[in-house]
Amino acid sequence: MENSNNIRNIAIIAHVDHGKTTLVDAMFKNSGIFRENEQVAERVMDSNDLERERGITILSKNTSVMHEGVKINIVDTPGHADFGGEVERVLGMVEGVLLVVDAFEGAMPQTRFVLKKALELNLKPIVVINKIDRPQARCEQVIDEVLDLFIDLGATDEQADFPVVYTSAKQGICGLEQDDLKNDLTPLFNVILDYVPAPAGDPEGPLQVRIANIDYDEYIGKIAVGKIARGTARYNQTVALCHTDGTTSNVKAGRIYTFEGLARQEVQEVPAGDIICISGLGDINIGETICDTGCIDPLPVIEVDEPTISMNFMVNNSPFAGQEGEFVTSRHIRDRLFRELETNVSLKVEETDSADCFKVSGRGELHLSILIETMRREGYEFQVSRPQVIFKEKNGKKLEPMERLIIDVPEEFSGSVIEKLGIRKAQMENMQPTADGYMRLEFTIPSRGLIGYRNEFLTDTKGNGIMNSILEGFDEFKGEMQTRNRGSMIAWESGTTVAYGLLNAELRGALFLGPGVKVYEGMIVGENAKGEDLTVNVCKKKHVTNMRASGSDDTVKLTPPINMSLEQCLEFISDDELVEVTPKSIRLRKRILSKSDRDKLAGRMKKQG
């Protein structure tokens, strides 16, 4: 049985794409986990297909490496604030954090979010300046920025006196000085052993484990993951399960596992301080505490920040409903959403007046779009509404979520970015030049002002801008704002798109689909260049006559259609539109498909208004 002095528990936190998962890869290779001839994929911790495609960490995962007889448990945390629910619960399992910062980009908003949580929990921070081999690396300025961030977040003098390690995770090199780098990660491991304290906890005391994560195995069911705060966990022992509602029940724990590299290793007993997995506990939930039956002493329930964005998930009722999905009924969708709640603690699902509609709330557009994408890959077919921010009421005042927005953009585009954000009620906080003709702009902006802005931003900056945002809190309602200034082009009839009909529609705006695509009445086929909606006949064929003119039968040349991602579709739609999601297709449509019905409703609204 391991001594807790021979254990270190650390979490790795970083902004998206700052090299956190690559650093874990390098730590694996350095600690000899892989055989010399073993084929190893890059970014082994990004096990989920979506994580690999997008290059981001979505799910928190555990692993461990050995260095000089000490076991280092590593928790890989998401870098995006939308998955903050993952971050908040796993930080309770560790005593230290590695803050990985890009040597060029410096401290970014998501870094700020997770670091704030870590400092509040009084965890020991180690700053890792990664990608020092980048040509534009500016290590000294980045360290100053990180120190400013620590002070800004209210760090103690001890926390602000952090050790710094310089690395190139891709090359697997690091050192305590920029010009003194070793060909492995030994300096980093040594700093972890020296600086991060061993976990506290009496191995002889009564058992106490708070569940921070739930894993699932198709053979053995739910597996609870947590750190042993006190006592020793043993195979097949009877324990008391303290539920979040205050009740307790006695259950028999099954097998016990610890993490060894990427695998779970079955053991007979584990002492206080280590991170373990326990099977056989039945219906267990995140935040519950496992206690000794003779000492019922539950730990505080993990508190997670409230959701800020909500969407309606509905049964698909379009003319193409049921043609491409395997799970299409309200019962299927309901069961899947409530199953997601077991592991996705920052998600909220509510039933509505309609049996076919569920209100789903999350931490941001990305948080909900990942759930949508996961469900469609599993064979689900459904519709979703436009994301809406969640307002609060306090002292008779209406409050709305506010975000801190940081934008890096070439100087020549900064004027148009500032102008567009002004319309969306953004307030500039800071503006400073960075490197190579770029400006860094910092704003506070209502969350609803960012819905639909990303596409506009990419167009205005010709794809050269980078924007990142993070929730700052709630502030007074900033008033009405116009977010979308263009209308939709809507199919006039059901049928198959024809090049001739598309050519006529193309004169009015940008198309979302090419020829030979099946459409239905009320389906959105493009974006109108003007502010109002426009009905177009994209199935219209050229009438054949016996008169032929020179050149009239030449091949029609169309501009390639805009291929929109799921997030872009969610940003594009307005309140009277929906996104139809199936395993094979993503379509945009009007809530009311018939043009005459839409016109009648508009007439009634005009009379009432």
Side-chain angles (χ1 to χ4, degrees):
M1 194 164 69
E2 288 169 341
N3 184 329
S4 65
N5 287 330
N6 292 332
I7 297 172
R8 299 291 185 275
N9 299 318
I10 60 164
I12 300 192
I13 59 180
H15 184 76
V16 179
D17 201 33
H18 278 204
K20 167 172 50 68
T21 311
T22 309
L23 181 64
V24 177
D25 279 7
M27 293 173 85
F28 282 157
K29 287 169 185 166
N30 205 84
S31 61
I33 282 177
F34 305 124
R35 300 188 311 274
E36 282 187 29
N37 63 343
E38 189 170 349
Q39 291 291 314
V40 182
E42 278 190 26
R43 306 197 321 274
V44 286
M45 289 292 275
D46 281 350
S47 52
N48 179 315
D49 285 345
L50 272 174
E51 293 179 312
R52 287 190 169 278
E53 286 171 26
R54 294 169 184 244
I56 59 173
T57 301
I58 296 168
L59 305 169
S60 169
K61 300 173 211 61
N62 298 65
T63 186
S64 74
V65 296
M66 294 294 293
H67 183 72
E68 294 181 357
V70 178
K71 179 182 182 182
I72 303 173
N73 283 313
I74 302 169
V75 183
D76 186 19
T77 63
H80 204 289
D82 280 19
F83 308 107
E86 296 277 329
V87 172
E88 287 163 44
R89 66 178 192 241
V90 299
L91 288 181
M93 294 196 289
V94 300
E95 286 75 40
V97 293
L98 293 188
L99 175 64
V100 182
V101 183
D102 188 298
F104 169 65
E105 290 187 5
M108 297 292 272
Q110 268 78 26
T111 313
R112 181 188 188 93
F113 167 78
V114 192
L115 181 62
K116 184 171 186 283
K117 301 283 179 191
L119 294 177
E120 285 170 0
L121 292 168
N122 205 26
L123 303 180
K124 291 275 192 177
I126 297 168
V127 174
V128 178
I129 306 296
N130 191 28
K131 302 190 184 181
I132 56 171
D133 52 335
R134 283 187 70 168
Q136 313 99 321
R138 47 186 192 95
C139 298
E140 285 78 12
Q141 295 101 305
V142 166
I143 290 170
D144 289 342
E145 287 174 19
V146 172
L147 182 58
D148 289 343
L149 178 60
F150 270 72
I151 294 165
D152 196 26
L153 294 176
T156 62
D157 290 346
E158 189 184 1
Q159 286 172 328
D161 188 21
F162 49 79
V164 178
V165 182
Y166 300 89
T167 70
S168 169
K170 203 165 186 179
Q171 295 182 28
I173 58 174
C174 81
L176 302 181
E177 301 291 338
Q178 254 183 284
D179 49 8
D180 182 21
L181 301 175
K182 301 286 187 288
N183 288 326
D184 58 21
L185 299 187
T186 303
L188 175 60
F189 284 127
N190 290 339
V191 169
I192 292 169
L193 300 193
D194 295 342
Y195 191 69
V196 177
D202 177 13
E204 304 302 322
L207 183 66
Q208 191 184 45
V209 184
R210 181 167 61 188
I211 303 309
N213 211 346
I214 299 284
D215 210 343
Y216 187 81
D217 187 288
E218 55 186 285
Y219 298 108
I220 54 182
K222 279 187 176 182
I223 299 171
V225 181
K227 187 180 85 170
I228 305 176
R230 188 180 63 208
T232 298
R234 294 181 175 85
Y235 169 70
N236 229 7
Q237 78 183 107
T238 301
V239 295
L241 190 54
C242 303
H243 303 286
T244 48
D245 60 3
T247 60
T248 60
S249 57
N250 286 2
V251 291
K252 196 164 192 178
R255 296 175 178 176
I256 295 175
Y257 307 86
T258 59
F259 292 97
E260 285 195 16
L262 292 167
R264 287 194 296 258
Q265 186 73 28
E266 189 175 344
V267 291
Q268 293 299 307
E269 59 180 51
V270 185
D274 208 347
I275 295 173
I276 62 161
C277 305
I278 307 175
S279 68
L281 295 173
D283 192 20
I284 189 164
N285 295 302
I286 288 166
E288 296 180 341
T289 306
I290 298 167
C291 294
D292 192 291
T293 51
C295 180
I296 308 298
D297 182 18
L299 288 160
V301 175
I302 299 166
E303 290 199 14
V304 176
D305 288 348
E306 292 177 37
T308 57
I309 297 274
S310 70
M311 295 166 72
N312 287 333
F313 282 51
M314 293 162 273
V315 172
N316 188 11
N317 62 1
S318 84
F320 293 169
Q323 295 182 11
E324 297 174 350
E326 185 181 350
F327 308 109
V328 298
T329 66
S330 59
R331 182 178 59 82
H332 284 138
I333 296 167
R334 182 188 184 280
D335 291 349
R336 177 63 182 83
L337 289 173
F338 279 95
R339 192 165 76 244
E340 184 71 18
L341 292 178
E342 293 176 0
T343 54
N344 200 336
V345 289
S346 50
L347 197 74
K348 192 176 174 187
V349 179
E350 300 165 78
E351 300 195 56
T352 64
D353 298 338
S354 166
D356 291 344
C357 179
F358 305 91
K359 184 182 177 184
V360 182
S361 306
R363 292 287 278 270
E365 280 179 276
L366 184 62
H367 184 203
L368 294 177
S369 72
I370 290 292
L371 171 62
I372 295 166
E373 183 65 36
T374 304
M375 285 176 65
R376 74 180 278 250
R377 290 183 183 208
E378 291 171 359
Y380 287 84
E381 180 179 312
F382 52 99
Q383 298 177 139
V384 292
S385 67
R386 184 174 194 254
Q388 301 284 348
V389 300
I390 299 170
F391 297 104
K392 281 185 177 180
E393 195 82 29
K394 192 174 181 181
N395 300 329
K397 291 180 179 176
K398 186 179 180 181
L399 304 179
E400 67 174 324
M402 300 292 293
E403 310 240 354
R404 178 170 291 273
L405 175 67
I406 294 181
I407 286 178
D408 287 307
V409 66
E411 281 182 44
E412 66 262 33
F413 303 127
S414 58
S416 90
V417 168
I418 292 166
E419 183 187 345
K420 292 282 178 70
L421 286 172
I423 298 168
R424 292 169 176 264
K425 310 287 184 185
Q427 190 169 345
M428 186 181 283
E429 301 282 327
N430 195 11
M431 178 178 182
Q432 63 184 54
T434 53
D436 298 337
Y438 270 70
M439 296 291 289
R440 176 164 289 185
L441 312 173
E442 204 166 324
F443 301 87
T444 52
I445 182 171
S447 295
R448 63 197 166 100
L450 286 176
I451 295 174
Y453 176 63
R454 195 172 296 272
N455 284 347
E456 211 174 307
F457 172 74
L458 290 173
T459 305
D460 290 345
T461 61
K462 294 186 169 58
N464 290 306
I466 301 169
M467 61 179 278
N468 292 285
S469 63
I470 181 163
L471 184 72
E472 278 274 281
F474 283 77
D475 201 358
E476 283 188 38
F477 183 67
K478 302 295 180 188
E480 297 302 325
M481 69 171 76
Q482 181 190 353
T483 54
R484 181 172 149 186
N485 54 11
R486 292 187 177 181
S488 300
M489 286 200 286
I490 306 151
W492 180 64
E493 63 178 353
S494 300
T496 303
T497 57
V498 177
Y500 181 72
L502 290 170
L503 184 66
N504 290 328
E506 191 180 77
L507 301 172
R508 304 299 188 91
L511 293 171
F512 296 158
L513 37 81
V517 179
K518 287 185 177 179
V519 297
Y520 52 80
E521 182 189 4
M523 184 170 152
I524 297 169
V525 296
E527 180 183 50
N528 188 11
K530 295 184 178 177
E532 69 273 359
D533 290 341
L534 178 70
T535 305
V536 292
N537 188 357
V538 288
C539 305
K540 182 180 180 183
K541 294 180 180 176
K542 185 177 181 182
H543 290 294
V544 178
T545 67
N546 60 357
M547 297 291 289
R548 310 190 85 181
S550 173
S552 63
D553 289 351
D554 286 351
T555 306
V556 171
K557 290 184 180 176
L558 295 167
T559 306
I562 298 169
N563 188 14
M564 296 215 291
S565 67
L566 175 61
E567 281 91 356
Q568 289 172 322
C569 290
L570 293 174
E571 287 191 342
F572 175 81
I573 59 172
S574 58
D575 293 336
D576 65 336
E577 296 167 351
L578 301 171
V579 179
E580 178 187 347
V581 180
T582 77
K584 295 179 181 175
S585 314
I586 297 173
R587 302 184 186 95
L588 303 175
R589 54 161 287 186
K590 284 288 180 183
R591 278 180 190 265
I592 301 170
L593 296 177
S594 164
K595 183 179 188 308
S596 60
D597 289 347
R598 288 197 304 273
D599 291 343
K600 284 175 191 171
L601 179 66
R604 285 201 301 270
M605 298 285 283
K606 201 169 184 180
K607 282 180 185 176
Q608 290 172 7

